[in-house]
Amino acid sequence: MANVEAIKQKIVDIVQKEYRLGMVNMFEGNVSAKVGDRVFITPSQVAKDDMTKDMIIEMDLEGNIVDCPEGLKPSSESKMHLEVYRLRPDVKAVVHNHSTYATAFAMNNMPIDTKALTEVNLTLGVIPVCKYGTPGTELIYADLKNVIGNLYAVLLANHGLLAFGPTLDIAFSYAEGVEKVAQTITIAGRIGAPSNIPDAEIEALRQFGSAARDAAIAKSLAD
């Protein structure tokens, strides 16, 4: 089994990195990692600056608590993390935050979609919006099964961003990438009309990117 203590520390490192970058406020957001049939997730209502690896909570894939330090409880969004792992067995890490530009798109119920950037079309594809659901309940992820596909990030309507991947570092990189793309799209629209890539090229980029994601998922499941 992977080094659980190292994974717990990596979860804390990513949470604190998000806080330093302004992707979450002190008590916002949550991060988890799956190791075998166990999930390790950040605790609820613990200040990011104060969080340590010994506070990370261990659960099974049904949401039963295996190990939880006294006085703590798992993130209120833990069921949403478990749903990602259920829908996508290839995923080993989930990052949820309220980064500013991505959340602005989510507030406007707008997918992150552009024909003017090659990288987003190749790597991420169109970032869809899950229908609104009350945070902390099963409703917040009820629509996830309809939009997750082979993507590595989705928006949560009126709430924030959910990114995921085969490792904690990669999941964070998708969260960071989506925020940067959302910011770039917003700025480009303010200063002028973006110069779109031809439709045929966009379609080719998206097809290539989707095939690459399918291949990565298949490889992950085979390993």
Side-chain angles (χ1 to χ4, degrees):
M1 180 176 281
N3 186 331
V4 168
E5 293 304 308
I7 287 173
K8 288 181 178 180
Q9 185 60 54
K10 175 63 74 172
I11 290 172
V12 173
D13 292 345
I14 286 176
V15 164
Q16 293 179 342
K17 183 187 295 186
E18 287 191 297
Y19 181 57
R20 291 194 303 271
L21 292 173
M23 299 169 79
V24 292
N25 290 334
M26 183 66 77
F27 297 104
E28 288 182 346
N30 29 78
V31 174
S32 72
K34 184 176 76 168
V35 181
D37 61 356
R38 293 290 185 261
V39 171
F40 298 87
I41 192 165
T42 48
S44 178
Q45 292 299 301
V46 173
K48 301 294 183 285
D49 282 347
D50 296 334
M51 195 175 295
T52 68
K53 68 180 178 65
D54 296 326
M55 297 178 181
I56 300 302
I57 294 163
E58 181 179 351
M59 309 173 70
D60 66 21
L61 292 171
E62 284 71 49
N64 301 304
I65 294 177
V66 176
D67 183 52
C68 180
E70 185 176 356
L72 297 180
K73 58 183 180 180
S75 165
S76 61
E77 305 292 7
S78 59
K79 290 183 179 179
M80 179 171 66
H81 289 242
L82 295 174
E83 180 71 353
V84 176
Y85 296 127
R86 185 184 74 81
L87 293 171
R88 287 280 298 279
D90 62 296
V91 167
K92 301 296 189 295
V94 177
V95 174
H96 168 51
N97 66 39
H98 305 154
S99 53
T100 303
Y101 285 85
T103 302
F105 275 78
M107 289 171 62
N108 287 347
N109 201 23
M110 293 172 55
I112 298 176
D113 183 8
T114 178
K115 294 182 178 180
L117 277 175
T118 56
E119 186 62 24
V120 65
N121 284 284
L122 189 62
T123 305
L124 295 168
V126 176
I127 308 302
V129 184
C130 286
K131 294 177 182 177
Y132 176 77
T134 306
T137 74
E138 295 179 2
L139 295 175
I140 194 171
Y141 60 80
D143 191 41
L144 185 59
K145 62 182 180 294
N146 299 318
V147 300
I148 192 169
N150 65 4
L151 301 175
Y152 289 114
V154 300
L155 299 174
L156 303 169
N158 305 95
H159 188 77
L161 172 68
L162 190 61
F164 32 90
T167 69
L168 283 159
D169 282 329
I170 292 174
F172 171 77
S173 76
Y174 288 136
E176 187 179 36
V178 171
E179 174 64 6
K180 184 65 177 291
V181 168
Q183 182 178 12
T184 302
I185 291 171
T186 302
I187 293 171
R190 287 175 179 170
I191 64 176
S195 177
N196 287 341
I197 299 165
D199 286 346
E201 177 69 5
I202 287 293
E203 182 62 23
L205 288 170
R206 289 181 178 178
Q207 287 185 6
F208 185 86
S210 183
R213 291 192 298 275
D214 283 342
I217 290 169
K219 182 178 185 302
S220 176
L221 293 174
D223 287 345

